[in-house]
Amino acid sequence: MTPKISLPLLLLLAFVCLLLPHQSISQQCCEDYCYSSDRDKTQVLRFATKTAYEFAKGAQTNNDYYVPNCEPKKIWILSRHGTRYPSAKEMKQMEKLQNLRDEILDNYDTRRSKPDQGALCDGDLAGFRNWEWDSNITAQYDNFLVWQGWEDLRFLAKSFQRRFPNILGNYYEREKYAFRYTDTERTLSSYRAFTEGLFGPKAYLNINTPPPPANDSLLKFYDMCPAFEEQSDKAKGPGSEYQKFIDSKVGQKFVSDVSMRLGFKFNLSLKQIDTIWDMCRYEQAWHLDKYSAWCSAFTKSQVEVMEYLEDIKYYYKQGYGNELNSNLACSLAQDLLMHMGSDKNPSLQAYFAHSSTIQLFLTALGVAKDRESLRADNFDDMKYRHFRTSKIGPFATNIAAVKYDCPRDAEPNKIMFYLNEKPVNFEWCKVGLCEYSALLRHLKRFQHADCNSFFCGGNGASGLYKNGILLVLGAFGVVTLWNAMRN
């Protein structure tokens, strides 16, 4: 039988409640932070694969390139394209940010739903009021190089030319220089910008560079490996460390805090936050001396969460999280060994490719390898990790190998590696200076391998079946296709 509460008792309870201290519900999303007034903005160094190259490369000194009693002889460079426009699909999502921007301003101006702590400051709100999507950015510029991307590569060429004038002259000589790029506008333009940096405006008009092959087994080898495509899908799929991190307390608090900071009483979707993150990073990379209003959506600690989320994805997609990745760049490793092992021209071999190409090659070399894997449950333990795409995978990322002749040494052929123009220190080298024989031992698995079968676990060509190509080829056609791919 349910007990009845008398009216006098209800009045007494109400009176007692009035006497108790009033506890208002506090909304505290995060630390207080004002992006527009922050002079340092150190988080721009943590924008993962869309970090601006100028920020990522850091300062260099002439001592980084000087090797006593040795003379530089040859250079091999693999570079990612420079800063680009988003894809057409990304553009559609970014254009929708205009509506989200209006919602954010309504949250602050009308709904009064800003958090008690961690709210946007007046300067950040002013940035949102002044922001508009650039209507000139349309689908016709899908993934095209932007002006800053051109400058990324032009200045990269000048930087190497300044440090190695005996190798990189001011005018083009056919036998001394070899270039190659993939079948995309952004890598073609990056190649042209690089040659302009070396030889002057429109220098590419006087350079006989063959067009990219249809099946580029050197610079887009991953396209010929179905297993790589499958693992790429799984890198963000159910049960992945990426998804586990999103579902973790850190990931869930991050989504809640960003939503609250922007004045929402409900959580934004991760897709919306991803679009905000991308808009911030693109605008910062396009205009180095300005700041993007959308970067104010995140505090510095929140940027570290987004960076780690992206690092986890690439760690399993292109890094050390999957054994397949260490062998995929077989053809590039062989090309490096051949170029560094020969005294013949070209003295410069330069390639212009994509993030996947660079990351997989760095994995083959063993660059930025941690003792512990990146996982959803060790975010706090990996703050000082080596595998950080902001450092090893920004726009215009480049890995260069420079061959030095050291006649006083027992083994005169030495190699120095430079990642984004800074020396790479391998444990099998002496203060960054590697003997060629040590490089051969380190990459021994590639030296005499048949990359068509080795690099994809014996399934390097199986991707061609997807289009039914091999089904209509006779035995002679198959042999012809293999030879074409190997060349």
Side-chain angles (χ1 to χ4, degrees):
M1 188 172 179
T2 304
K4 294 183 178 180
I5 301 177
S6 63
L7 181 60
L9 181 58
L10 287 173
L11 292 173
L12 179 62
L13 289 172
F15 179 71
V16 171
C17 288
L18 289 173
L19 293 178
L20 291 173
H22 178 66
Q23 297 290 334
S24 62
I25 298 176
S26 175
Q27 284 190 311
Q28 297 185 349
C29 88
C30 44
E31 69 270 26
D32 285 318
Y33 175 67
C34 185
Y35 184 74
S36 56
S37 63
D38 184 356
R39 292 185 178 181
D40 296 330
K41 294 184 175 64
T42 53
Q43 64 268 48
V44 301
L45 301 173
R46 297 285 181 264
F47 283 176
T49 57
K50 294 180 179 64
T51 302
Y53 182 67
E54 280 297 305
F55 301 148
K57 71 175 184 177
Q60 299 92 38
T61 67
N62 289 332
N63 289 335
D64 291 337
Y65 301 86
Y66 173 69
V67 179
N69 304 315
C70 299
E71 182 182 1
K73 290 292 187 180
K74 302 182 76 174
I75 303 176
W76 184 96
I77 300 177
L78 175 65
S79 175
R80 183 189 178 192
H81 57 78
T83 307
R84 60 169 173 82
Y85 284 113
S87 67
K89 184 179 180 181
E90 289 173 315
M91 291 177 192
K92 289 182 179 179
Q93 295 301 318
M94 291 175 179
E95 194 170 2
K96 294 178 183 177
L97 287 178
Q98 294 177 115
N99 296 329
L100 188 63
R101 184 274 314 271
D102 293 342
E103 288 290 314
I104 294 169
L105 293 177
D106 282 345
N107 289 342
Y108 275 72
D109 297 341
T110 306
R111 303 185 183 104
R112 307 294 182 183
S113 57
K114 70 176 185 178
D116 297 326
Q117 179 179 310
L120 297 170
C121 64
D122 290 341
D124 291 347
L125 285 171
F128 278 118
R129 296 186 205 284
N130 295 326
W131 183 85
E132 292 290 342
W133 170 252
D134 187 349
S135 59
N136 293 317
I137 302 176
T138 61
Q140 66 175 320
Y141 298 115
D142 180 350
N143 281 310
F144 274 35
L145 204 70
V146 300
W147 176 84
Q148 182 58 49
W150 182 279
E151 294 297 277
D152 292 340
L153 272 298
R154 189 170 71 89
F155 282 113
L156 177 64
K158 287 186 173 296
S159 177
F160 274 100
Q161 188 178 56
R162 184 172 65 254
R163 292 182 168 95
F164 301 105
N166 62 318
I167 301 176
L168 305 176
N170 294 315
Y171 62 94
Y172 173 68
E173 297 177 70
R174 183 175 181 178
E175 68 279 1
K176 287 183 61 177
Y177 302 96
F179 305 97
R180 182 163 166 172
Y181 51 89
T182 66
D183 190 18
T184 63
E185 187 280 338
R186 58 192 179 278
T187 55
L188 169 61
S189 292
S190 295
Y191 146 72
R192 290 177 171 176
F194 190 88
T195 56
E196 178 177 294
L198 291 179
F199 312 122
K202 296 187 177 181
Y204 63 88
L205 294 175
N206 299 318
I207 299 174
N208 183 23
T209 299
N215 294 309
D216 195 340
S217 59
L218 181 66
L219 298 184
K220 297 193 76 175
F221 45 84
Y222 45 88
D223 279 353
M224 301 176 187
C225 182
F228 177 74
E229 294 182 20
E230 292 172 10
Q231 79 169 30
S232 296
D233 294 337
K234 292 178 180 177
K236 293 178 63 177
S240 65
E241 292 297 319
Y242 178 92
Q243 189 59 51
K244 288 178 184 177
F245 188 58
I246 293 172
D247 295 336
S248 70
K249 289 182 179 179
V250 173
Q252 291 300 298
K253 187 178 187 304
F254 164 78
V255 171
S256 174
D257 284 353
V258 171
S259 303
M260 198 183 301
R261 177 171 167 82
L262 298 178
F264 292 100
K265 295 289 189 179
F266 56 88
N267 282 349
L268 295 172
S269 69
L270 187 61
K271 184 176 181 180
Q272 288 174 306
I273 294 176
D274 269 338
T275 303
I276 294 172
W277 169 241
D278 280 345
M279 190 74 264
C280 156
R281 298 187 294 168
Y282 274 118
E283 288 189 330
Q284 182 63 78
W286 295 340
H287 310 291
L288 302 181
D289 57 344
K290 299 179 181 180
Y291 71 88
S292 167
W294 291 101
C295 291
S296 65
F298 309 100
T299 66
K300 290 187 176 183
S301 61
Q302 290 168 349
V303 166
E304 291 181 4
V305 175
M306 286 301 288
E307 181 194 33
Y308 192 69
L309 180 63
E310 192 158 328
D311 285 353
I312 284 182
K313 178 181 70 175
Y314 285 109
Y315 183 79
Y316 291 93
K317 182 179 178 180
Q318 301 167 356
Y320 301 102
N322 193 305
E323 290 185 10
L324 174 68
N325 296 335
S326 64
N327 290 331
L328 278 172
C330 175
S331 54
L332 271 174
Q334 287 186 347
D335 189 86
L336 168 69
L337 292 175
M338 181 178 66
H339 188 70
M340 291 290 102
S342 170
D343 293 328
K344 299 179 180 178
N345 280 322
S347 55
L348 170 68
Q349 181 73 61
Y351 298 117
F352 305 92
H354 306 272
S355 177
S356 295
T357 317
I358 308 295
Q359 293 301 313
L360 290 166
F361 181 71
L362 293 179
T363 300
L365 276 180
V367 175
K369 188 172 184 178
D370 295 284
R371 292 183 179 180
E372 192 173 352
S373 297
L374 275 66
R375 302 189 311 274
D377 62 0
N378 64 352
F379 169 64
D380 290 332
D381 298 331
M382 300 300 287
K383 289 188 180 294
Y384 302 101
R385 63 191 178 276
H386 298 296
F387 192 92
R388 194 183 290 273
T389 54
S390 301
K391 292 185 176 181
I392 65 174
F395 285 125
T397 310
N398 56 89
I399 178 76
V402 180
K403 180 179 181 179
Y404 288 85
D405 179 31
C406 307
R408 297 185 182 181
D409 296 348
E411 185 169 343
N413 292 333
K414 301 289 196 302
I415 313 293
M416 281 280 287
F417 286 92
Y418 298 91
L419 177 60
N420 299 330
E421 303 176 66
K422 295 292 289 182
V424 179
N425 290 317
F426 293 105
E427 61 182 16
W428 42 274
C429 302
K430 185 178 180 181
V431 197
L433 191 63
C434 313
E435 295 182 344
Y436 180 70
S437 60
L439 178 63
L440 281 176
R441 287 193 298 272
H442 184 66
L443 299 179
K444 180 173 64 174
R445 66 190 187 278
F446 299 118
Q447 188 177 6
H448 301 297
D450 178 0
C451 290
N452 289 326
S453 60
F454 172 72
F455 80 100
C456 193
N459 295 312
S462 60
L464 298 176
Y465 279 99
K466 297 167 88 175
N467 296 321
I469 296 175
L470 295 184
L471 296 179
V472 296
L473 290 175
F476 176 79
V478 173
V479 173
T480 303
L481 179 61
W482 283 131
N483 289 335
M485 289 175 64
R486 296 181 67 179
N487 294 328

